[in-house]
DNA sequence: AACTCGTTCAACCGCCAGTTA
DNA sequence: GTAACTGGCGGTTGAACGAGT
């Protein structure tokens, strides 16, 4: 699995990486326990930054970039990995609508989360749903789906969730303890030190029956004040956005702004209803845009100005 | 049991902007 | 001014895993 690969390339940067490594073999691939230990110990003493120097002085046959990535995404003390809370999901959706694929910008508003994790979340969860809806993740249809469905439903779920009832044991490492993180490994032979890969899987399908609502077309700008910065981290029992789909556009008898006139106008793909219906559900869809919800949004606006 | 397939996520790559000599 | 260096970013890849058959 591990690979000692002679670095090569045509750019100046890659050449500099080569030179930094004294034209020796550069290790690539998963980090070993020993490498993590070397890096953590070095950073603990000397601090981070100057990553090429870190790699060299710590005795790691890694590029500075690799060390930086490992530290930022895995080893640093405040990194959080694992289940993404409802608030975090909400924040990601909202911030992505504002910033697009500027993952680091989004990550700034999610303490402990890395741009890499948010990017992975988006690609694996959100883009998957776009694919199921047979629309492009950047399409208006999909943006509207987020605006009118996911975000209202997330808000509803957040509101409906007592402070701790939605929280599952945080399956993330909140410290840089190698023991903590490795304890989450699945079938990883730590002793072999050939890989130290953390895996966790979300297989929650906690299909709550929530209300859904259509909403003000200006919803997103108003919601733009929301930020997880001001919210306690919670862990969603299901970070999969499908949890938010559990409703029936036409069933359940609820009012819905995504009515036939909209779906028939090309705003939503032909299979839109089917894409939602596969999740089941059938709740009342009205009342989302009631005073309480507006109040909730206003509170979020007050909490943070991004 | 063995195989295929889909999902997840750690880690890599190329590019670029900022900094330094 | 500029070439080299460094770090940050977004896109992509592929190994590991679970589920399904």
């Amino acid at each position: 699995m591990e690979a000692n690969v002679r670095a090569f390339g045509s750019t100046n940067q890659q050449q500099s990486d080569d030179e930094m490594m004294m034209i020796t073999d550069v290790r690539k691939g998963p980090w070993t326990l020993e490498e993590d230990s070397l890096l953590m110990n070095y950073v603990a003493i000397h601090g981070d930054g100057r990553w090429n120097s870190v790699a060299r002085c710590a005795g790691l046959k890694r590029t500075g970039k690799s060390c930086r990535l490992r530290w930022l995404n895995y080893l640093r003390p405040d990194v959080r990995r694992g289940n993404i809370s409802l608030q975090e999901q909400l924040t990601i959706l909202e911030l992505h609508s504002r910033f697009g694929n500027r993952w680091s910008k989004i990550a700034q508003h999610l303490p402990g989360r890395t741009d890499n994790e948010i990017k992975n979340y988006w690609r694996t969860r959100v883009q998957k749903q776009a694919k199921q809806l047979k629309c492009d993740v950047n399409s208006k249809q999909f943006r509207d789906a987020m605006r009118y469905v996911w975000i209202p439903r997330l808000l509803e779920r957040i509101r409906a969730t007592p402070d701790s009832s939605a929280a599952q044991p945080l399956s993330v490492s909140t410290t840089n303890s190698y023991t903590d993180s490795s304890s989450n490994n699945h079938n990883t032979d730590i002793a072999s030190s050939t890989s130290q890969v953390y895996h966790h899987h979300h297989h929650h399908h906690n299909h709550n029956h929530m209300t859904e609502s259509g909403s003000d077309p200006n919803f997103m700008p108003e919601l733009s004040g929301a930020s997880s910065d001001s919210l306690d981290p919670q862990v969603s029992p299901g970070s999969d956005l499908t949890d938010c789909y559990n409703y029936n556009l036409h069933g359940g008898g609820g009012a819905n702004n995504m009515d036939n006139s909209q779906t028939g106008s090309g705003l939503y793909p032909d299979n839109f209803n089917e894409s939602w219906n596969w999740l089941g559900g059938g709740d009342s869809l009205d009342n989302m845009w009631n005073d309480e919800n507006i109040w909730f949004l206003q509170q979020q606006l007050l909490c943070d100005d991004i």
Side-chain angles (χ1 to χ4, degrees), chain A residues 10-57:
Chain A
S10 57
T11 66
N12 289 337
Q13 178 198 326
Q14 286 169 321
Q15 288 170 0
S16 70
D17 285 345
D18 264 0
E19 289 159 9
M20 189 280 294
M21 287 294 157
M22 303 298 185
I23 321 296
T24 59
D25 288 345
V26 177
R27 273 189 51 81
K28 297 169 72 174
W31 281 63
T32 65
L33 188 67
E34 183 181 7
E35 287 178 311
D36 279 349
S37 180
L38 283 171
L39 181 56
M40 281 196 299
N41 288 338
Y42 187 88
V43 171
I45 296 169
H46 300 96
D48 59 4
R50 300 182 56 81
W51 291 106
N52 281 336
S53 174
V54 168
R56 187 170 51 242
C57 298

Side-chain angles (χ1 to χ4, degrees), chain A residues 43-73:
Chain A
V43 171
I45 296 169
H46 300 96
D48 59 4
R50 300 182 56 81
W51 291 106
N52 281 336
S53 174
V54 168
R56 187 170 51 242
C57 298
L60 291 160
K61 290 185 175 181
R62 296 271 181 175
T63 65
K65 295 177 81 166
S66 181
C67 293
R68 172 184 166 272
L69 204 65
R70 184 63 176 171
W71 174 257
L72 291 177
N73 288 346

Side-chain angles (χ1 to χ4, degrees), chain A residues 133-135 141 263-275:
Chain A
L133 287 168
K134 293 185 169 62
C135 61
Q141 288 95 331
T263 55
S265 66
L267 188 59
Y268 301 98
D270 293 341
N271 67 323
F272 194 89
N273 292 340
E274 290 78 1
S275 296

Side-chain angles (χ1 to χ4, degrees), chain A residues 29-301:
Chain A
W31 281 63
T32 65
L33 188 67
E34 183 181 7
E35 287 178 311
D36 279 349
S37 180
L38 283 171
L39 181 56
M40 281 196 299
N41 288 338
Y42 187 88
V43 171
I45 296 169
H46 300 96
D48 59 4
R50 300 182 56 81
W51 291 106
N52 281 336
S53 174
V54 168
R56 187 170 51 242
C57 298
L60 291 160
K61 290 185 175 181
R62 296 271 181 175
T63 65
K65 295 177 81 166
S66 181
C67 293
R68 172 184 166 272
L69 204 65
R70 184 63 176 171
W71 174 257
L72 291 177
N73 288 346
Y74 196 93
L75 297 175
R76 67 185 164 97
D78 56 338
V79 71
R80 296 174 59 226
R81 290 172 292 112
N83 291 353
I84 295 178
S85 70
L86 295 173
Q87 285 92 345
E88 287 173 320
Q89 292 179 41
L90 177 65
T91 302
I92 291 169
L93 292 179
E94 196 280 322
L95 291 178
H96 188 273
S97 74
R98 298 182 67 201
F99 301 129
N101 294 356
R102 297 178 63 186
W103 308 116
S104 63
K105 182 88 173 177
I106 294 170
Q108 288 173 6
H109 297 274
L110 294 158
R113 299 294 185 183
T114 67
D115 55 352
N116 209 33
E117 180 164 31
I118 294 168
K119 178 170 56 184
N120 281 333
Y121 167 78
W122 184 267
R123 292 186 61 82
T124 60
R125 313 298 211 287
V126 180
Q127 287 195 343
K128 180 179 72 177
Q129 305 309 331
K131 187 178 179 181
Q132 286 175 341
L133 287 168
K134 293 185 169 62
C135 61
D136 186 88
V137 74
N138 294 316
S139 67
K140 185 176 190 307
Q141 288 95 331
F142 193 71
R143 289 200 306 271
D144 285 337
M146 285 195 296
R147 175 183 300 175
Y148 295 119
V149 182
W150 290 350
I151 289 176
R153 283 185 55 77
L154 275 170
L155 286 168
E156 187 74 15
R157 286 191 63 184
I158 291 167
R159 289 198 60 242
T161 301
D163 287 344
S164 59
S165 66
Q168 299 291 317
L170 196 63
S171 63
V172 299
S173 169
T174 53
T175 74
N176 75 339
S177 163
Y178 198 93
T179 301
D180 285 350
S181 56
S182 62
S183 69
N184 288 323
N185 287 353
H186 295 181
N187 302 324
T188 301
D189 183 1
I190 299 298
S192 72
S193 293
T194 56
S195 71
Q196 196 267 315
V197 181
Y198 171 88
H199 284 283
H200 75 273
H201 296 280
H202 310 283
H203 292 296
H204 311 285
H205 295 285
N206 182 20
H207 294 296
N208 291 351
H209 290 264
M210 306 297 294
T211 61
E212 186 279 338
S213 168
S215 60
D216 185 341
N218 296 322
F219 174 75
M220 296 303 282
E222 290 179 2
L223 187 63
S224 294
S227 167
S228 69
D229 289 0
S230 58
L231 297 166
D232 291 337
Q234 282 190 342
V235 178
S236 167
S239 57
D240 192 324
L241 279 171
T242 57
D243 285 354
C244 305
Y245 294 180
N246 190 17
Y247 81 108
N248 186 327
L249 274 177
H250 298 291
N256 185 351
N257 282 3
M258 287 190 296
D259 56 18
N260 289 333
S261 64
Q262 282 183 308
T263 55
S265 66
L267 188 59
Y268 301 98
D270 293 341
N271 67 323
F272 194 89
N273 292 340
E274 290 78 1
S275 296
W276 296 112
N277 285 340
W278 70 270
L279 293 151
D283 302 303
S284 174
L285 303 180
D286 53 3
N287 296 328
M288 176 62 199
W289 216 234
N290 56 25
D291 289 344
E292 280 191 1
N293 285 325
I294 292 172
W295 174 87
F296 179 77
L297 289 175
Q298 288 172 339
Q299 295 308 301
Q300 294 211 12
L301 273 169

